[in-house]
Every structure is written in C-alpha cells, then in structure tokens.
Amino acid sequence: MSFVEDETSDSGVDSRSRLESYVFSCELSSEVPFYTFQADEDEDVEHFLELRTICLGDGAKEENNVVEVTAMNHQGKKISVPVANLNISCLPMVSLGEFELMAPVTLRLKSGSGPVTVSGLHLVATENEESEISDEEDDDDVSEEEMPSVKPAKKKQI
C-alpha cells in the first residue's frame, strides 16, 4: 500500500513526500528476547515503525510479559519505555493505536517468557520528484491555467 501525504503528519512527513507502508511483525520470547528495527542510511528516505498491537501467542504461560521499547526522544537521547504488561488470564493483547517511532527502534521482552507478537506498519517516507519544483513555479502554473467558464444551470418549469 502506498499513497501521497497531503498534509504534514506527526511523523514530520511534508506534503511533497511519498509514504509507503508495509506490514511489520516480530515475535519475542525467552529464546529471542529482543528485535531491533533499523533503516537504510539513505538521506532522501525516512523509516518509521508504527506499532499497532502486542499480543501473547500460543503456549504463553500464566506470568506477566512486559514489552519495552527503546528509541530516540525529541532531544536525540535513547530512552526505554515499557509499553505493554500482558497476562494470559486477564490481558492477552493491547492495541497501541498508531504508536509511531523513528528508526532505529529496539523491542525487548523485559520480563516473562512469551511468546509475544508485536505487529504494525513499517512506513517509508521518500521525497517526490515534484518536490524539486519551487513554490514560485507552482504559483505561476496555477495562474497560467485557464479555468473553464461556469454557466448557470437551466431551470425546468413544471
């Protein structure tokens, strides 16, 4: 799925960016307790991880499973925050809405043995080729276009 953003979003993607989205999923367990979402080092591309759900998988034990996210804050410092505390008998799944983080992001099973599945979207924002056109040229194009004349509708008499 891909589309062009029309307005500035929370991710900082401007109106001249193309945003592509891909399904993301990873499983955390005692065997694989963390996953790091990394992005390519491309200047014209930004990668975001939009977390949607965290849920316990088959074979989860009666224990608390705490999932922690480590990412950069607005000051560029790494911070770790627990985002889910799941238990098979009372809270087997949480919905995070559209919890969006800029890469790199590390997901860690801080306590419990899982399995815990984290799912969401991998968002890739790229600049459109059109973004190289200056705003002045855009304004000129609009004024040069001819607008079709508007004719009043004819009324039917009954």
Side-chain angles (χ1 to χ4, degrees):
M1 173 178 160
S2 68
F3 58 93
V4 176
E5 276 290 299
D6 291 333
E7 299 176 3
T8 301
S9 69
D10 293 339
S11 63
V13 177
D14 70 18
S15 63
R16 297 176 190 236
S17 294
R18 178 178 174 83
L19 189 62
E20 296 177 346
S21 61
Y22 304 94
V23 174
F24 167 83
S25 179
C26 72
E27 185 175 279
L28 307 174
S29 65
S30 54
E31 290 84 32
V32 183
F34 69 93
Y35 175 84
T36 301
F37 171 78
Q38 300 218 3
D40 299 332
E41 296 295 325
D42 190 348
E43 292 179 16
D44 296 336
V45 179
E46 290 183 308
H47 294 265
F48 300 91
L49 182 59
E50 185 177 284
L51 300 178
R52 296 275 178 106
T53 60
I54 302 175
C55 64
L56 291 173
D58 276 347
K61 298 176 186 172
E62 182 66 42
E63 63 183 358
N64 285 350
N65 289 271
V66 177
V67 177
E68 178 182 78
V69 171
T70 302
M72 297 286 188
N73 68 6
H74 68 285
Q75 297 172 332
K77 296 180 182 178
K78 277 189 178 183
I79 60 169
S80 297
V81 179
V83 292
N85 186 351
L86 305 176
N87 189 297
I88 196 70
S89 63
C90 64
L91 187 63
M93 179 182 134
V94 304
S95 176
L96 298 172
E98 297 175 3
F99 185 51
E100 196 172 291
L101 301 160
M102 186 179 281
V105 176
T106 299
L107 304 161
R108 184 168 76 102
L109 185 58
K110 189 171 182 177
S111 70
S113 56
V116 175
T117 300
V118 180
S119 62
L121 296 174
H122 172 190
L123 304 174
V124 181
T126 56
E127 288 189 30
N128 280 337
E129 295 170 8
E130 298 168 1
S131 67
E132 296 173 6
I133 299 173
S134 70
D135 288 336
E136 293 173 7
E137 290 176 0
D138 288 344
D139 293 341
D140 292 342
D141 291 343
V142 172
S143 63
E144 290 175 7
E145 291 178 14
E146 290 185 25
M147 298 292 287
S149 60
V150 178
K151 297 179 183 176
K154 293 183 181 180
K155 294 183 182 178
K156 287 186 178 181
Q157 293 189 3
I158 301 175

